[in-house]
Amino acid sequence: MPTAINSSGVVVGDIVGRYDRQAFRWFRGVWQPLGFLGGTDTLGGRISTATAVNTSGKIVGTSTTAAGEFHAFELVGATMKDLGTPGSHSSAAAVNDLGQTVGTHQRPDGSTRAALWWDRRMYDLGTLGGPVSYPVSINNAGQVVGHSLTADGQLRAFLWQRGHMTDLGVLPGDQNSEALAITSHGQVLVRSVGTQNRGFLWINGQRIELGPAASAFDPVDINDNGLVAGTMSAAGGQRAATWYRGALTVHGTLGGPYSSVAKVTAGNALVGSATREDLLPVAAVWPAAPRSRWA
């Protein structure tokens, strides 16, 4: 199950078995299991997941420890570093090209909060008034996006920058929202949740809906070219799709009925999963067209 790809073509994700899960790195046809911070000799006692990789190849994710806890990790080369937590658990969600990692940490009171690890320190990013917050992405300007509970119990997308967290709101008629990604220009891709999932771009305080053509389109990622990747409900099955300036394109499978996208690269390639003719889901990459209209 791939989760991310960098501009050099390094893919990270998880090798999933019946009873276990282990992070992997893939580059030019070579698979590399990444191991664990530790674990216990019990069923499911050793688990690791990889969630992101930056341009220099630093990988972040989450792993079991010898104490049976889950901790965020950074991996550079072959060394897996435990990022720690003041509570019993932490997890890593994203890393930028400066090496700043965001994720969650468990506070001593048991609540879960967004965290930033940088220069050997961990910073609590706060919430929108509720008890929990979850980051999903960070750009090279240090802007962090994610979602948090508000004081009245609503789940809302947020943008954190320079110590301040902003509520990005919802589309009209919806109740909740969650941020999915942020570009280097500070454009935030948001999923607005109501009777169905919809998407909008938050740009300098304005919400721009992806449009009626994307009413059945559930977004997951955006690159700096403005290419939005996601999943489209289509006749015969769920399909990987992209949205660009109001135009929606549905992509294929590997012979089966389903496909989905996890990430879109800076060069407009897509990484995700697709079913084969035997219905087995496998990792898949959709290379960018040589003369892409999204370039």
Side-chain angles (χ1 to χ4, degrees):
M1 294 181 63
T3 55
I5 183 172
N6 71 6
S7 56
S8 299
V10 176
V11 178
V12 299
D14 303 340
I15 305 168
V16 182
R18 180 171 295 181
Y19 302 114
D20 59 7
R21 179 185 292 257
Q22 183 173 182
F24 75 82
R25 175 185 184 271
W26 179 94
F27 183 61
R28 294 181 178 175
V30 178
W31 288 83
Q32 177 191 359
L34 301 183
F36 314 93
L37 289 171
T40 59
D41 293 326
T42 59
L43 186 65
R46 287 182 175 83
I47 294 174
S48 62
T49 65
T51 52
V53 57
N54 69 7
T55 55
S56 65
K58 174 182 279 190
I59 299 168
V60 299
T62 307
S63 171
T64 50
T65 68
E69 300 174 344
F70 284 90
H71 283 192
F73 72 78
E74 294 178 342
L75 187 142
V76 179
T79 303
M80 186 178 285
K81 175 185 176 183
D82 188 337
L83 295 180
T85 174
S88 59
H89 299 292
S90 62
S91 65
V95 60
N96 67 11
D97 293 336
L98 302 178
Q100 297 172 320
T101 299
V102 291
T104 61
H105 76 100
Q106 186 182 58
R107 290 158 54 92
D109 64 7
S111 62
T112 299
R113 301 272 284 266
L116 168 68
W117 286 272
W118 172 238
D119 197 22
R120 301 181 182 179
R121 294 184 61 186
M122 191 200 77
Y123 303 88
D124 188 317
L125 303 188
T127 73
L128 289 172
V132 298
S133 57
Y134 299 90
V136 296
S137 186
I138 180 172
N139 65 11
N140 290 340
Q143 296 173 301
V144 180
V145 296
H147 41 276
S148 169
L149 284 178
T150 63
D152 59 359
Q154 299 294 320
L155 185 68
R156 292 296 176 85
F158 72 75
L159 168 65
W160 181 94
Q161 56 184 341
R162 296 185 292 275
H164 179 70
M165 186 175 285
T166 301
D167 186 338
L168 303 187
V170 297
L171 290 174
D174 291 344
Q175 295 77 44
N176 300 292
S177 63
E178 53 185 348
L180 304 171
I182 183 170
T183 71
S184 62
H185 312 299
Q187 299 172 335
V188 185
L189 177 64
V190 180
R191 175 185 291 131
S192 187
V193 181
T195 55
Q196 64 179 5
N197 291 340
R198 298 186 287 170
F200 67 87
L201 297 179
W202 187 93
I203 303 174
N204 296 325
Q206 293 186 327
R207 286 184 287 275
I208 302 173
E209 188 174 357
L210 295 185
S215 60
F217 177 62
D218 189 14
V220 296
D221 196 24
I222 184 174
N223 68 10
D224 283 346
N225 298 323
L227 180 62
V228 179
T231 302
M232 182 75 182
S233 297
Q238 172 182 287
R239 296 295 178 90
T242 48
W243 181 95
Y244 182 72
R245 296 184 179 179
L248 192 66
T249 302
V250 179
H251 299 277
T253 71
L254 292 172
Y258 303 106
S259 61
S260 62
V261 179
K263 293 290 180 180
V264 55
T265 72
N268 303 322
L270 309 176
V271 61
S273 297
T275 50
R276 304 187 314 201
E277 290 183 359
D278 59 5
L279 303 184
L280 181 69
V282 295
V285 173
W286 290 261
R291 296 182 179 179
S292 174
R293 61 190 175 91
W294 302 310

